[in-house]
Amino acid sequence: MPREELIRELLAARVEHARGQVMRLRGEIREVTLAHRDTPADDEHDPEGSTVTLERERAVALLAGVEAQLAELRDAQERLAHGTFGTCERCGQPVPAERLEVRPEARHCVTCAGIRARGH
Ligand SMILES: [Zn+2]
């Protein structure tokens, strides 16, 4: 297990960053929605409406990604608080420190993450 202090700081910094992104994206979505509240919602025939929809959809998709990431980070903070951080959830082996320093939210060792990514 890498130095706990380092990981705690890494996670806190990433949570902070993700939170900022969530705020920014929510604001962006609200702005796009409000700015075009009075324009017709006929996306198929209104080229501008279509752009607005795409813009909003892109922001909503980004937001979903960042929120998922934020949940992972919070989970990692929980694991850190409960002393289960840094143990692979699949094989129970310690996750290498180098991996945790790059991806502190990682739940699996490199081998298990590879197996999972391939769908086994
Ligand atoms: Zn593993």
Side-chain angles (χ1 to χ4, degrees), residues 49-102:
S50 163
T51 308
V52 168
T53 304
L54 280 177
E55 213 178 299
R56 190 161 53 211
E57 271 173 10
R58 185 194 58 88
V60 167
L62 274 175
L63 179 63
V66 176
E67 279 181 334
Q69 196 194 346
L70 192 56
E72 284 292 301
L73 290 167
R74 288 251 169 78
D75 225 72
Q77 286 181 318
E78 282 283 299
R79 293 199 298 277
L80 197 60
H82 292 98
T84 55
F85 183 85
T87 303
C88 174
E89 287 184 0
R90 187 177 174 278
C91 69
Q93 293 297 308
V95 181
E98 312 82 68
R99 175 164 167 79
L100 291 170
E101 283 169 16
V102 179

Side-chain angles (χ1 to χ4, degrees), residues 35-55:
H36 298 273
R37 195 170 39 178
D38 300 326
T39 55
D42 190 356
D43 289 346
E44 276 177 54
H45 303 102
D46 178 3
E48 201 201 341
S50 163
T51 308
V52 168
T53 304
L54 280 177
E55 213 178 299

